Amino acid sequence: MKGPPMTSTHEVFNQPPTLAGYDVAADPAMLDALRREGGGWAEDGVRELGRLAGSAQAQEWGRQANEHPPVLRTHDRFGNRIDEVEFHPAWHSLMTVAIRHGLHAAPWRDPRPGAHVARAAGFYVWGATDAGHGCPISMTYAIVPALRHAPELAGRFEPLLAAEEYDFGLRPPSTKRGLLAGMSMTEKQGGSDVRANTTRAVPAGDGTFSLTGHKWFTSAPMGDLFMVLAQAPGGLSCFLLPRVLPDGSRNAMRLQRLKDKLGNRSNASAEVEYEQAAAWLVGEEGRGVRTIIEMVNMTRLDCVLGTATGMRTGVTLAAHHAAHRTAFGRRLADQPLMANVLADLALESEATTMAAFRLAGATDRAAGGDEQEAAFRRLALAVTKYWVCKRAPAHAAEALECLGGNGYVEESGMPRLYREAPLASIWEGSGNVAALDALRALTRQPGTAEAFFAELDQAAGADHRLDQAIARLRKEVSDPSEGRARYLAEAMALALQGALLVRNGYPAVADAFVASRLDSASSFGSGGAYGTLPSGADTAAIVSRVTPQILW
Ligand SMILES: Cc1cc2nc3c(=O)[nH]c(=O)nc-3n(C[C@H](O)[C@H](O)[C@H](O)COP(=O)(O)OP(=O)(O)OC[C@H]3O[C@@H](n4cnc5c(N)ncnc54)[C@H](O)[C@@H]3O)c2cc1C
């Protein structure tokens, strides 16, 4: 017997196409900055990596690596300790591409001018696939300047840290084709105040030290070499600790458990027990903070770059959605209020990208011996790390909302961005610590303030609103009391972003940024929601710079 015909209600319309098959590196702010900061020679490689990052395959790796997070295997089936972390194959694919492209070390292998900028561009575009694997990539990049405080160890391990080979697994470092590094500082009783560390380092009599203690956070514990802080007889010191000893036996580094984290789920972060683990001293005994800060300073640059990537990804997804979705008879992108929101998100993203690349350029020139750039970087990195990381969670939340309910659903990729967003502000110097660090540079290293203001002065005369903001800032920094550290860091970061945009940015972006963030006459100050650009902002031109084109 025939029943009534089925009526299909499942017609899909007014939904955007999947955003895959696009060029992540088709990013005018990034490409201009890459060339301006001396990395233009790397453009072809960055574009190639950008197309790979925007491919359906790489986007899928990012999804899988996060939906199948790492698993800790403490013991084998017979009860022997193995302390290994197991990853989904997608993680290994992401790591392989990152390492083949030298994102973990290319500037150390080939320190030509612009090398740190080129590497920054690669890190920025490839990060659009997944933020989590950026952690071991970043720490491997960052360990080298600290390791050079022990020339013999650097001679032994630097070539392997810089090798473009991803060689996962527990084997003696010198027998591997490539190495990964980690950092083990934070203890239960205090992470910011590392001087309170209780892990002890006792000379073993053979030139090594024996480390005993517990670390509350050690990310990427499947790495090969770790920079560890511990109390030696001469005070807090920095040590290089291999996971496998040169004779092939396991070092006494026990992974207790992995953290169940808000985001960053593709990456493993462990609690670690060292039980008389063997390690080599790096730098002077008792000067551990001074040594490891060299590593922290490099990872802070990646906090800024990673935040720039997160913002760019968020606004790209939002602009893509709004370009294809209609509501109340018009494309969302053409609704004046949505255009304001998208433009505001876009200019925050461009300002962050420009600051990140200016800092990558300063890193490059400082590595080449430019002291003025080193002084600029010292202060500018602290204020930028503080400010852009603070802006990230609100940016991700607003980008998510542009997709409406779809943005709250995991498949959109937005929840992953949102959960990741607060992290860069916490590690490598949490918000207050970063702001206080900026204050320390400002008050104790006057050369850093001179270099910082010299940078701002290069924009003098181009925009009277910026000129007035910089004049106000000069007065503000004359009261560097601790309770004002956030206020000052924010003001300095905004002035820097404004100056960079006015000098080198896209005019509509620069104008709207200064009008909304620095013009005391027209703005109600910071803290407002995104989407509050004053009338006159060329929102269509700004949004077109972040709207992706599906190419294949
Ligand atoms: C996912 C993840 C991965 C991590 N991976 C690593 C790793 O690989 N290796 C590692 O060593 N650590 C790692 N950490 C730890 C991280 O670096 C610390 O959490 C961070 O440094 C803060 O230390 P804490 O958690 O002990 O907080 P605390 O130091 O107790 O700080 C708590 C709060 O107090 C504020 N504060 C501190 N001092 C002051 C002050 N003087 N004035 C005002 N405010 C202050 C801080 O800004 C912060 O907001 C990781 C953390 C996370 C979340």
Side-chain angles (χ1 to χ4, degrees), residues 62 65-66 68-70 87 91 94 130-133 261 263-268:
N66 281 276
H68 304 279
F87 288 86
W91 167 272
L94 292 165
D130 162 64
H133 78 290
K261 296 176 288 186
N264 198 254
R265 294 186 74 83
S266 62
N267 182 33

Side-chain angles (χ1 to χ4, degrees), residues 183 185-186 190-192 217-219 261 423 426-427 430 432 436:
M183 178 162 43
M185 301 187 292
T186 306
S192 309
F217 278 96
T218 298
S219 288
K261 296 176 288 186
L423 179 53
I426 294 172
W427 61 18
S430 303
N432 287 353
L436 289 169

